[in-house]
PDB file of all heavy atoms in Angstrom:
ATOM      1  N   GLN B  25      -0.078   0.126   5.969  1.00  0.00           N
ATOM      2  CA  GLN B  25      -0.200  -0.105   4.532  1.00  0.00           C
ATOM      3  C   GLN B  25      -0.483   1.203   3.813  1.00  0.00           C
ATOM      4  O   GLN B  25      -1.226   2.055   4.336  1.00  0.00           O
ATOM      5  CB  GLN B  25      -1.293  -1.154   4.224  1.00  0.00           C
ATOM      6  CG  GLN B  25      -2.680  -0.872   4.789  1.00  0.00           C
ATOM      7  CD  GLN B  25      -3.639  -0.184   3.827  1.00  0.00           C
ATOM      8  OE1 GLN B  25      -3.319   0.015   2.649  1.00  0.00           O
ATOM      9  NE2 GLN B  25      -4.820   0.161   4.313  1.00  0.00           N
ATOM     10  N   ASN B  26       0.157   1.351   2.647  1.00  0.00           N
ATOM     11  CA  ASN B  26      -0.012   2.588   1.859  1.00  0.00           C
ATOM     12  C   ASN B  26      -0.733   2.330   0.546  1.00  0.00           C
ATOM     13  O   ASN B  26      -0.545   3.065  -0.422  1.00  0.00           O
ATOM     14  CB  ASN B  26       1.340   3.257   1.636  1.00  0.00           C
ATOM     15  CG  ASN B  26       2.288   2.383   0.801  1.00  0.00           C
ATOM     16  OD1 ASN B  26       1.910   1.321   0.335  1.00  0.00           O
ATOM     17  ND2 ASN B  26       3.523   2.826   0.668  1.00  0.00           N
ATOM     18  N   LEU B  27      -1.564   1.291   0.540  1.00  0.00           N
ATOM     19  CA  LEU B  27      -2.260   0.885  -0.677  1.00  0.00           C
ATOM     20  C   LEU B  27      -3.665   1.482  -0.757  1.00  0.00           C
ATOM     21  O   LEU B  27      -4.356   1.274  -1.753  1.00  0.00           O
ATOM     22  CB  LEU B  27      -2.355  -0.644  -0.729  1.00  0.00           C
ATOM     23  CG  LEU B  27      -0.999  -1.342  -0.831  1.00  0.00           C
ATOM     24  CD1 LEU B  27      -1.155  -2.816  -0.519  1.00  0.00           C
ATOM     25  CD2 LEU B  27      -0.412  -1.159  -2.221  1.00  0.00           C
ATOM     26  N   GLY B  28      -4.103   2.117   0.307  1.00  0.00           N
ATOM     27  CA  GLY B  28      -5.478   2.632   0.335  1.00  0.00           C
ATOM     28  C   GLY B  28      -6.519   1.536   0.547  1.00  0.00           C
ATOM     29  O   GLY B  28      -7.698   1.775   0.308  1.00  0.00           O
ATOM     30  N   HIS B  29      -6.071   0.366   0.987  1.00  0.00           N
ATOM     31  CA  HIS B  29      -7.010  -0.727   1.240  1.00  0.00           C
ATOM     32  C   HIS B  29      -7.892  -0.427   2.449  1.00  0.00           C
ATOM     33  O   HIS B  29      -7.488   0.320   3.358  1.00  0.00           O
ATOM     34  CB  HIS B  29      -6.258  -2.035   1.497  1.00  0.00           C
ATOM     35  CG  HIS B  29      -5.652  -2.628   0.267  1.00  0.00           C
ATOM     36  ND1 HIS B  29      -4.692  -3.626   0.300  1.00  0.00           N
ATOM     37  CD2 HIS B  29      -5.888  -2.369  -1.054  1.00  0.00           C
ATOM     38  CE1 HIS B  29      -4.371  -3.944  -0.943  1.00  0.00           C
ATOM     39  NE2 HIS B  29      -5.089  -3.200  -1.779  1.00  0.00           N
ATOM     40  N   ASP B  30      -9.090  -1.024   2.456  1.00  0.00           N
ATOM     41  CA  ASP B  30     -10.030  -0.713   3.548  1.00  0.00           C
ATOM     42  C   ASP B  30     -10.057  -1.792   4.620  1.00  0.00           C
ATOM     43  O   ASP B  30     -10.728  -1.630   5.628  1.00  0.00           O
ATOM     44  CB  ASP B  30     -11.431  -0.481   3.004  1.00  0.00           C
ATOM     45  CG  ASP B  30     -12.020  -1.702   2.288  1.00  0.00           C
ATOM     46  OD1 ASP B  30     -11.367  -2.784   2.273  1.00  0.00           O
ATOM     47  OD2 ASP B  30     -13.122  -1.579   1.735  1.00  0.00           O
ATOM     48  N   THR B  31      -9.348  -2.902   4.403  1.00  0.00           N
ATOM     49  CA  THR B  31      -9.383  -3.999   5.375  1.00  0.00           C
ATOM     50  C   THR B  31      -7.975  -4.480   5.666  1.00  0.00           C
ATOM     51  O   THR B  31      -7.154  -4.625   4.745  1.00  0.00           O
ATOM     52  CB  THR B  31     -10.240  -5.153   4.850  1.00  0.00           C
ATOM     53  OG1 THR B  31     -11.530  -4.665   4.430  1.00  0.00           O
ATOM     54  CG2 THR B  31     -10.452  -6.191   5.930  1.00  0.00           C
ATOM     55  N   MET B  32      -7.703  -4.735   6.932  1.00  0.00           N
ATOM     56  CA  MET B  32      -6.391  -5.256   7.342  1.00  0.00           C
ATOM     57  C   MET B  32      -6.581  -6.481   8.206  1.00  0.00           C
ATOM     58  O   MET B  32      -7.643  -6.679   8.804  1.00  0.00           O
ATOM     59  CB  MET B  32      -5.600  -4.160   8.092  1.00  0.00           C
ATOM     60  CG  MET B  32      -5.305  -2.959   7.203  1.00  0.00           C
ATOM     61  SD  MET B  32      -4.299  -1.691   8.009  1.00  0.00           S
ATOM     62  CE  MET B  32      -2.696  -2.478   8.058  1.00  0.00           C
TER      63      MET B  32
END
Side-chain angles (χ1 to χ4, degrees):
Chain B
Q25 55 96 5
N26 62 6
L27 297 165
H29 286 165
D30 62 4
T31 309
M32 297 183 73

